[in-house]
Amino acid sequence: MRRARPVPQESVGKHYPSEFKADAVALYRSRPGATIKSVAEDLGVNTETLRNWIRAADGRRPGAHSVPSATVPARGQSPADAEVAALRKRVRELEEERDILRKAARYFAGGDALVNRCQFVDDHQRRYGVKRLCTILGIARSSFYYWRKTAPDRAARHADDAKLAGRIRAVHAGSDGTYGVPRITAELHDQGEHVNHKKVARIMRGIGLAGLRLRRKHRTTIPDPAAVKAADLIGRDFTADLPNTKYVGDITYLPVAGAKPLYLATVLDLYSRRLAGWAIADHMRAELVIDALAAAERTRGSLNGAIFHSDHGAQYTSAAFADACTAAGVTRSMSAVGSSADNATAESWNAAMKRETLKGAKAWPTTRHARLAAFRWANRYNTVRRHSRLGQRSPLAYENLFNEPSTTLQQAA
């Protein structure tokens, strides 16, 4: 007489909700190759308890052996021989299931688990049959047949994605590897590719592309406590209704390996974010910002009546710069001391310029490299680079869109 199987201790004192049991069985079936013991340990339940839940889900009596208790012997075969034959058959089935799961494990290295299982069933159905494979892998046959039915549509989508990925790579390379999702999406739209930015983001993640990120800034604003300050005429309103009416400017440093850094002064039009003037030097004296203002005056023809907003750096509060502004008919405006938000547009331009030219490097190898990088980017910024505030247009394209006169940006002396 067969002895009764002892009841696990935890089943006496613990009661698991039916949802927990169903999730436990689903977890076991979702991990081909995992043992009942390992899954039970992950869940903190008794191994035999989990085994009984699996049997119950399969329609078998919990605690029962896989071999039916009453095996019908064949003609001329004793009951003992019939049971041995049934056990041997079950062993062969289990060995084959083990081999199936070992083969299936190679399909689960990554990606969607359900897709991988369906692909395995499709690849091995001739040998093992769809029903048996779906049972072993824990998927519904209806899911497999739906997956197979929609295979042509998926293949077409994959082909479209591959073509779009090629175009995204080209746009990304054309931006020197600086464009992220919004600018690449805008560029594709201009090329006639009507694609959602979410799809662009998904494909860029898949092929390992991304835009450049900000680097830590270096302090270039050194105020002069004795200098006369100008009032803030901007008030953090970095917009303008017309070109050549409101400008902002700043100084940023350009690091050079093993040498003194260079310094770049800029003059930006708040109407179109156009870089109207700039100057570069190996010092931060007042002459630097005066040269940048003079370059902007040459670009626009005249700055008479315009406002120029800056921080409280000693260059901008100097008497020499004040005289240059007066001569050009420019009214000075200054932000609060120590507040980068009061000159956010100029700060943002500086950060973007270094981010997209250095591309993660700490410095340029020589001063010549730094000067040429600044020259190239300044011109690309005005003519090619897309700006989010301008509807993903370049500054010159934005001015031309509204029939504003456009003159060629000249390099400051």
Side-chain angles (χ1 to χ4, degrees):
M1 179 177 177
R2 182 176 296 164
R3 296 178 59 186
R5 183 182 296 273
V7 178
Q9 283 299 111
E10 74 166 5
S11 64
V12 175
K14 292 186 178 180
H15 298 282
Y16 295 95
S18 57
E19 294 83 0
F20 181 88
K21 297 177 183 179
D23 288 343
V25 173
L27 176 63
Y28 168 72
R29 288 175 173 170
S30 70
R31 299 175 58 192
T35 64
I36 295 178
K37 181 179 179 181
S38 65
V39 175
E41 289 175 351
D42 290 343
L43 298 176
V45 301
N46 185 277
T47 302
E48 192 61 30
T49 300
L50 178 57
R51 181 176 285 110
N52 285 337
W53 293 346
I54 295 170
R55 286 170 175 158
D58 291 339
R60 291 181 282 148
R61 179 172 58 85
H65 290 290
S66 298
V67 179
S69 56
T71 303
V72 179
R75 180 172 303 199
Q77 186 182 43
S78 67
D81 291 339
E83 187 168 355
V84 169
L87 286 170
R88 287 175 176 170
K89 179 181 178 182
R90 181 55 181 160
V91 168
R92 288 193 300 271
E93 291 174 350
L94 291 174
E95 288 176 344
E96 190 172 56
E97 289 182 10
R98 177 200 62 194
D99 293 339
I100 290 173
L101 291 173
R102 283 178 177 173
K103 293 178 181 178
R106 293 194 294 269
Y107 282 68
F108 305 138
D112 190 307
L114 179 60
V115 169
N116 291 337
R117 292 178 189 209
C118 290
Q119 187 63 59
F120 180 81
V121 174
D122 193 52
D123 292 345
H124 296 82
Q125 60 177 315
R126 290 183 177 274
R127 180 173 180 180
Y128 300 109
V130 171
K131 180 178 180 181
R132 189 170 185 213
L133 289 173
C134 288
T135 300
I136 293 173
L137 297 181
I139 61 175
R141 278 183 288 169
S142 58
S143 298
F144 166 72
Y145 287 122
Y146 176 80
W147 174 86
R148 191 165 64 179
K149 178 182 178 182
T150 56
D153 293 336
R154 286 197 309 278
R157 286 196 300 271
H158 290 163
D160 290 342
D161 285 356
K163 290 174 59 178
L164 182 59
R167 301 187 68 175
I168 288 174
R169 287 184 189 276
V171 173
H172 190 259
S175 72
D176 290 341
T178 61
Y179 277 10
V181 171
R183 290 188 174 94
I184 287 181
T185 303
E187 185 72 29
L188 291 173
H189 285 175
D190 280 359
Q191 295 177 8
E193 182 75 46
H194 299 291
V195 60
N196 187 282
H197 71 280
K198 294 181 180 179
K199 185 174 183 179
V200 173
R202 173 176 60 80
I203 292 177
M204 288 183 68
R205 283 195 303 270
I207 60 179
L209 292 183
L212 291 179
R213 299 180 182 275
L214 291 172
R215 291 175 55 86
R216 189 174 64 180
K217 64 174 291 185
H218 180 84
R219 186 183 181 212
T220 53
T221 302
I222 303 175
D224 180 1
V228 177
K229 311 297 190 300
D232 184 355
L233 304 179
I234 296 293
R236 298 190 182 183
D237 178 15
F238 300 109
T239 62
D241 295 329
L242 295 171
N244 200 25
T245 56
K246 292 167 66 176
Y247 291 90
V248 294
D250 196 15
I251 299 174
T252 189
Y253 87 111
L254 307 180
V256 178
K260 287 179 56 179
L262 295 178
Y263 297 93
L264 175 67
T266 56
V267 179
L268 294 167
D269 192 322
L270 288 180
Y271 171 75
S272 62
R273 296 300 195 268
R274 181 179 181 180
L275 180 62
W278 61 281
I280 190 169
D282 59 359
H283 61 79
M284 286 199 301
R285 296 190 295 273
E287 291 90 341
L288 177 65
V289 295
I290 292 173
D291 287 345
L293 186 69
E297 190 173 20
R298 290 195 299 272
T299 297
R300 289 305 193 188
S302 172
L303 298 179
N304 188 41
I307 294 173
F308 179 82
H309 183 78
S310 68
D311 57 29
H312 280 250
Q315 304 84 357
Y316 293 111
T317 58
S318 67
F321 183 71
D323 291 343
C325 288
T326 300
V330 172
T331 303
R332 288 187 301 160
S333 169
M334 291 186 182
S335 60
V337 177
S339 176
S340 61
D342 288 344
N343 202 19
T345 298
E347 298 270 357
S348 176
W349 192 96
N350 294 341
M353 181 268 172
K354 286 191 281 189
R355 178 180 70 242
E356 297 186 12
T357 51
L358 282 171
K359 299 180 183 178
K362 293 183 178 180
W364 282 278
T366 66
T367 55
R368 182 173 182 275
H369 283 90
R371 286 179 181 274
L372 289 178
F375 171 76
R376 180 174 184 268
W377 198 83
N379 285 279
R380 280 179 58 85
Y381 170 83
N382 278 335
T383 59
V384 176
R385 187 182 182 276
R386 296 176 181 274
H387 200 297
S388 58
R389 184 189 170 276
L390 307 179
Q392 297 299 355
R393 302 180 184 90
S394 69
L396 286 181
Y398 184 78
E399 290 188 359
N400 292 335
L401 180 67
F402 295 100
N403 299 316
E404 299 297 343
S406 153
T407 55
T408 303
L409 177 64
Q410 303 176 33
Q411 183 182 10

